[in-house]
Amino acid sequence: MNKKLNNILLLPKRIVTSDAQNRILKNHAVDISDGIISAFIPFEKVREEKYDEVYDAGHLTLIPGFVQTHVHLSQTLFRGLAEDLPLLDWLRLKIFPFENEHNKESLQVTTQLSINELLMGGTTTILDMGTLRHGEVVLSEMISSGIRGFSGKCLIDINDLYPDFKSSLKVEIKDILSLAQNFHNSAEGRIKYSFSPRFVLSCTEELLKETKEIMKDFPGSIYHTHSSESVDEINEVRRRFNKENIEYFDSIGVLDDHSVLAHCVHTSDNERKMLKDRNTRIAHCPSANLKLGSGIAPIPEYLKAGISVTLGADGAPCNNNLSIFNEMRLASLIQKPIHGAETMDAKTIFRMATIEGAKALHLQDEIGSIEVGKKADLVLIDLDSCSNSYTDSDSAVYSDIVFSSTTENVKSVMVDGGWVVKERESLIYDQREIISKGKEELKKLLKRL
Ligand SMILES: [Zn+2]
């Protein structure tokens, strides 16, 4: 990761804070000391000689780094290789066989490609699902890349869809204990462990329950799984357990405020009440839900009920990219024909991708907004490009970010006060190199199939 300077001063055109008042500041510099936002200083009071670096960001807007609460770093190598399939076939025919063939080299390069794409697109914090083997490769790469987030071994001890891709209860428990001990709160707390049962159909009840028990020894860790994504999946859950997916999770005691459930497209009234009562968090992945034909999650109802909803791109093969901008845009637009044009306004969506994401991961005291005392996970974005609005008022700021921007508008990114992307250049990876390494490893992996 780029060497951190102790003291940086940023001078943006404006600062969209995402704080409790949604303040937008103008003519203010941001003082960053030892990775922490330490002051907002009016331009006329700035004393430049105090700083290791003074960065005049000109017409760029400063926003908090984005938070994605559901991604699969291990799958990025498989982009474009699993098209036009519904969830269970997509897993059975493509994704499980592919993930099953990962070795350490292919897993490392897919992680590098993913983190590169996420950081270049302004995402600075992730909750990753991991994969079945070599979890240490993903966590080590997250540490060295400079990104913030959670990952862990993806847990599978039954697999009717693709029986080769599974482990045993005993091995799974042994592995998560050692990984969590080695990696939880590593890199000065930037990397945390997430306990990641793949989904209800791939885990025994013992595995789901024991994992939740173990988690109690690792405060600040997250229980991360998929739930209620497709109709075929919930039909199978009903057949096996005679319950709805979330009812089953609740009956075995794995839902609480440190549980993040990806998708929740198909839920009953009773399940929504459970989500609310348990304060369980939902990771909404609109691109993946559309592409796999899973459906449209009832997000406005969840928000109305006071359930936490955040955003994630899911895996590259069901999206096909990792852009938070696509997820923000779709999260709003897909609801409007159903619930009316006034629903899911741009400000609400922007908060879901920043401070609400941080809250879902219990990181709201550290990140998610631009406030004094928080870590400097920041993005400089160009909202004066030819595809943005032409007004100088702040009224269009949120729609400019959510509806008009793409990852191309992201110019520079820092995590913990260290630059990871500067003026569209990655300071972490040689992009040509990781692409060519990725192609090479993919070729080898496909030969192993
Ligand atoms: Zn997923």
Side-chain angles (χ1 to χ4, degrees), residues 70 72 226 263 314:
H70 183 63
H72 293 254
H226 297 89
H263 306 305
D314 207 351

